[in-house]
Amino acid sequence: MKKLSIVFMCLAIIFSLAACSNNVKFTETENKTIVATDGTEYIFVGNEGRVWCFGEWEFIGHVKGEKKTFVHLTNKIKTGMYSVNNSQDVLVRYFPDNEFSAVYVKSELLKTEVSLDNCIRFEFVKGSLFNDKITTISNKGITECEQFLNEIKSGQKAKDAGLYDLVKQPDGTLKNCYVYGYVCGVIQDDINIVIPLEVRSFDDKAYSIKINDIEYVLPQEWIDKLISK
């Protein structure tokens, strides 16, 4: 019986190791791309906040050489790669001991650099974005991308225009100043990623938009165009 117990323990360890090994489905190369076991290559396009993808995430495999899990607050997070909406065209990655995710795109699909200057359209998403698993790219929005960016960046900054004075209280706190939504820059219609630009409301009297960490005034006429499309 003792010999059988040892045999069963050894088999359990072997199967456990095999299961862990089978979950290692990706390798990071020297140039920081991710390669799946079938040879598919994925390119890093941005960290959470700089780039976003809509939909439900599902864990599909670990990255070779990385520890399998870590704990953030009370949540146990699997490191590695996640598919989005049952598609592996875009993958989300969690690094060990890092609460923020990163976004990768299948290299054969990406036709241009992921930057604001290469956006083909801007869409508006009202309210929360980063906890939103339902919203999808709608194929609506404004296509005057260069004009939009140039006008915003040549305009006033939010503080210089006195937007914060609209909501500042005598004790220095801000009242009714909140994230109104996001202007999302679409890179390609066939890839589920956007560049999110935070839009802030100042007591619903004025609005700002953050571009490259600088907060500019967002004129009402542009909001009207974005929402009406």
Side-chain angles (χ1 to χ4, degrees), residues 6 16 36 38 52 56 81 86 94 96 112 119-120 174 195 197 199 201 204 220:
I6 294 173
S16 175
D38 65 0
W52 192 246
E56 295 285 350
M81 312 305 290
N86 298 315
Y94 272 112
T112 185
C119 288
I120 60 171
L174 303 178
I195 299 176
L197 306 174
V199 175
S201 168
D204 301 326
Q220 184 66 49

Side-chain angles (χ1 to χ4, degrees), residues 6-181:
I6 294 173
V7 170
F8 286 135
M9 286 178 61
C10 291
L11 288 173
I13 292 171
I14 291 170
F15 288 137
S16 175
L17 291 173
C20 291
S21 176
N22 288 338
N23 276 332
V24 178
K25 298 180 179 178
F26 299 90
T27 303
E28 186 170 28
T29 68
E30 290 184 359
N31 63 357
K32 301 303 180 182
T33 62
I34 293 293
V35 179
T37 52
D38 65 0
T40 304
E41 183 183 60
Y42 293 86
I43 298 174
F44 168 77
V45 293
N47 290 312
E48 175 183 332
R50 297 290 185 181
V51 178
W52 192 246
C53 55
F54 299 110
E56 295 285 350
W57 302 356
E58 182 180 355
F59 176 77
I60 55 175
H62 297 291
V63 176
K64 184 179 180 180
E66 292 185 347
K67 69 178 185 179
K68 305 299 187 292
T69 62
F70 69 96
V71 176
H72 173 64
L73 300 177
T74 58
N75 297 321
K76 186 176 182 181
I77 299 174
K78 287 183 179 180
T79 65
M81 312 305 290
Y82 291 72
S83 63
V84 183
N85 286 342
N86 298 315
S87 169
Q88 295 188 22
D89 289 345
V90 176
L91 298 183
V92 176
R93 179 184 184 184
Y94 272 112
F95 296 89
D97 304 315
N98 189 336
E99 63 180 293
F100 299 105
S101 60
V103 179
Y104 289 73
V105 174
K106 191 179 291 185
S107 60
E108 65 189 47
L109 295 179
L110 197 60
K111 300 171 185 174
T112 185
E113 180 186 358
V114 177
S115 69
L116 284 176
D117 291 335
N118 290 331
C119 288
I120 60 171
R121 188 171 64 256
F122 286 109
E123 300 182 10
F124 182 73
V125 176
K126 190 173 182 180
S128 174
L129 177 68
F130 302 113
N131 293 320
D132 185 346
K133 305 296 185 184
I134 300 173
T135 300
T136 58
I137 296 174
S138 67
N139 295 322
K140 297 180 180 179
I142 60 171
T143 55
E144 310 97 310
C145 300
E146 184 177 0
Q147 179 188 353
F148 173 74
L149 291 173
N150 287 341
E151 285 190 17
I152 297 299
K153 290 191 287 186
S154 63
Q156 284 186 296
K157 296 180 176 63
K159 286 186 178 179
D160 295 342
L163 268 57
Y164 280 90
D165 295 335
L166 297 173
V167 294
K168 188 174 290 185
Q169 304 304 298
D171 62 359
T173 60
L174 303 178
K175 183 179 180 181
N176 204 21
C177 179
Y178 63 96
V179 176
Y180 181 62

Side-chain angles (χ1 to χ4, degrees), residues 197-222:
L197 306 174
E198 182 185 275
V199 175
R200 185 169 290 272
S201 168
F202 295 83
D203 198 23
D204 301 326
K205 297 173 183 175
Y207 300 89
S208 70
I209 183 169
K210 190 175 286 187
I211 300 176
N212 297 328
D213 295 324
I214 299 175
E215 192 175 12
Y216 298 94
V217 172
L218 178 59
Q220 184 66 49
E221 52 264 34
W222 278 115

